């Protein structure tokens, strides 16, 4: 089948395109550098011609509250409209475990708005909620840094390898629409502050991680279970310690 991957040249998108092609599908990356701009609609009609499935793994270039909301609302609206015109049978979107519990954050409010647009579109859909990628631990540390101090809450997290996320999204894309959410998480549970402390130490990063129960996570205060998936989540195989060892 023809699968168009919005954001198909990014971290997850490029891996997803490769995995779909390995399984014999026609996987087409759609991004500004391939001539497709979801904010303006440029190239959408052409790339969706003959597509059975559209997978949206795109992300906003800015995490600023207004900019990220504008990105997800405009991009998702344009993509869904083009899909309806093209007769696409399945819309798949990648989102984040805990999105609905993180509404103090402008970024997660925008992701929630994206999900609501998808649910109300009338197009059969599947939303994949992933826990944070191993590769994003650096971004979490950066967002929580003030000077030489990294303030993080002692809450639980089950990070996941981006390869395993791409595989889960690919399985979902070629399957039957669930018209709901499927979750994917890593095999091990960590305490967020300890996880980042280990990651920084492995990189000989001199920043000090300070445990703070009120430390905001991209603008939202966390409860113990905010970042954890539900009992029915697909549990990926790759362990953080194995991945980290390969980064040395």
């Amino acid at each position: 089948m023809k699968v168009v991957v919005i954001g198909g040249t990014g971290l997850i998108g490029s891996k997803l395109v490769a995995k779909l092609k390995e399984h014999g599908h026609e996987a087409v990356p759609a991004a500004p550098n391939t001539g497709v701009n979801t904010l303006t609609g440029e190239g959408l009609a052409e790339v969706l011609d003959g597509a059975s499935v559209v997978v949206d793994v795109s992300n906003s270039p800015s995490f600023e509250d207004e900019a990220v909301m504008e990105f997800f609302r405009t991009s998702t609206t344009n993509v869904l409209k083009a899909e309806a015109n093209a007769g696409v049978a399945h819309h798949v979107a990648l989102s984040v475990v805990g999105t609905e519990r993180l509404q103090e954050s402008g970024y997660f409010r925008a992701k929630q708005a994206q999900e609501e647009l998808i649910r109300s579109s009338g197009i059969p859909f599947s939303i994949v909620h992933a826990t944070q990628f191993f590769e994003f631990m650096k971004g979490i540390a950066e967002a929580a840094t003030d000077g030489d101090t990294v303030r993080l809450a002692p809450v639980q997290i089950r990070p996941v390898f981006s390869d395993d996320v791409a595989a889960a999204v690919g399985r979902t894309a070629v399957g039957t629409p669930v018209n709901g959410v499927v979750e994917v998480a890593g095999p091990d549970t960590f305490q967020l502050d300890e996880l980042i402390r280990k990651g920084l130490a492995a990189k000989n990063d001199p920043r000090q991680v300070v445990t703070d129960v009120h430390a905001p996570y991209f603008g939202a205060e966390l409860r113990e279970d905010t970042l954890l998936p539900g009992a029915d989540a697909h549990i990926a195989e790759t362990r953080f310690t194995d991945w980290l060892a390969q980064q040395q």
Side-chain angles (χ1 to χ4, degrees):
M1 65 176 70
K2 179 180 178 180
V3 182
V4 174
V5 181
I6 308 294
T9 59
L11 174 66
I12 298 296
S14 58
K15 294 180 178 187
L16 175 59
V17 167
K19 289 178 184 294
L20 289 169
K21 286 182 176 178
E22 286 173 9
H23 287 86
H25 299 288
E26 180 187 356
V28 182
N33 59 1
T34 69
V36 179
N37 187 325
T38 57
L39 290 175
T40 64
E42 177 189 0
L44 271 175
E46 292 80 5
V47 78
L48 295 188
D49 184 36
S52 299
V53 182
V54 170
V55 183
D56 188 352
V57 295
S58 63
N59 206 354
S60 173
S62 169
F63 278 25
E64 189 275 325
D65 285 5
E66 289 187 12
V68 71
M69 182 64 80
E70 174 66 17
F71 174 85
F72 281 116
R73 277 186 171 161
T74 301
S75 177
T76 303
T77 297
N78 287 340
V79 170
L80 291 169
K81 181 180 178 181
E83 287 177 25
N85 291 336
V88 170
H90 188 188
H91 179 95
V92 180
L94 178 60
S95 194
V96 188
V97 163
T99 290
E100 71 284 1
R101 300 187 291 271
L102 289 159
Q103 293 301 293
E104 292 174 30
S105 163
Y107 179 83
F108 290 102
R109 286 195 298 273
K111 290 298 290 182
Q112 186 72 12
Q114 178 193 27
E115 293 188 22
E116 289 169 0
L117 285 168
I118 293 166
R119 292 176 185 277
S120 63
S121 70
I123 297 171
F125 70 93
S126 303
I127 297 172
V128 179
H129 273 190
T131 53
Q132 297 294 357
F133 313 149
F134 296 163
E135 293 90 342
F136 197 51
M137 295 303 108
K138 179 180 178 181
I140 291 174
E142 293 294 338
T145 295
D146 181 11
D148 293 326
T149 300
V150 184
R151 293 188 178 277
L152 291 164
V155 300
Q156 293 187 317
I157 187 171
R158 294 187 70 157
V160 64
F161 186 27
S162 60
D163 274 25
D164 293 334
V165 174
V169 174
R171 286 193 300 271
T172 303
V174 300
T176 302
V178 300
N179 293 314
V181 172
V182 294
E183 292 186 318
V184 58
D188 299 311
T189 302
F190 298 90
Q191 194 165 291
L192 178 60
D193 54 335
E194 281 296 327
L195 178 66
I196 300 302
R197 192 174 284 120
K198 288 179 182 177
L200 293 179
K203 296 288 187 181
N204 296 312
D205 190 311
R207 285 176 290 175
Q208 297 297 307
V209 175
V210 173
T211 302
D212 180 353
V213 294
H214 298 296
Y217 180 84
F218 298 97
E221 191 163 319
L222 300 175
R223 299 192 306 272
E224 177 64 22
D225 63 350
T226 301
L227 304 178
L228 292 179
D232 295 332
H234 170 79
I235 304 303
E237 294 183 358
T238 310
R239 297 188 179 280
F240 180 73
T241 51
D242 294 336
W243 174 84
L244 192 62
Q246 293 173 1
Q247 308 307 303
Q248 306 303 312

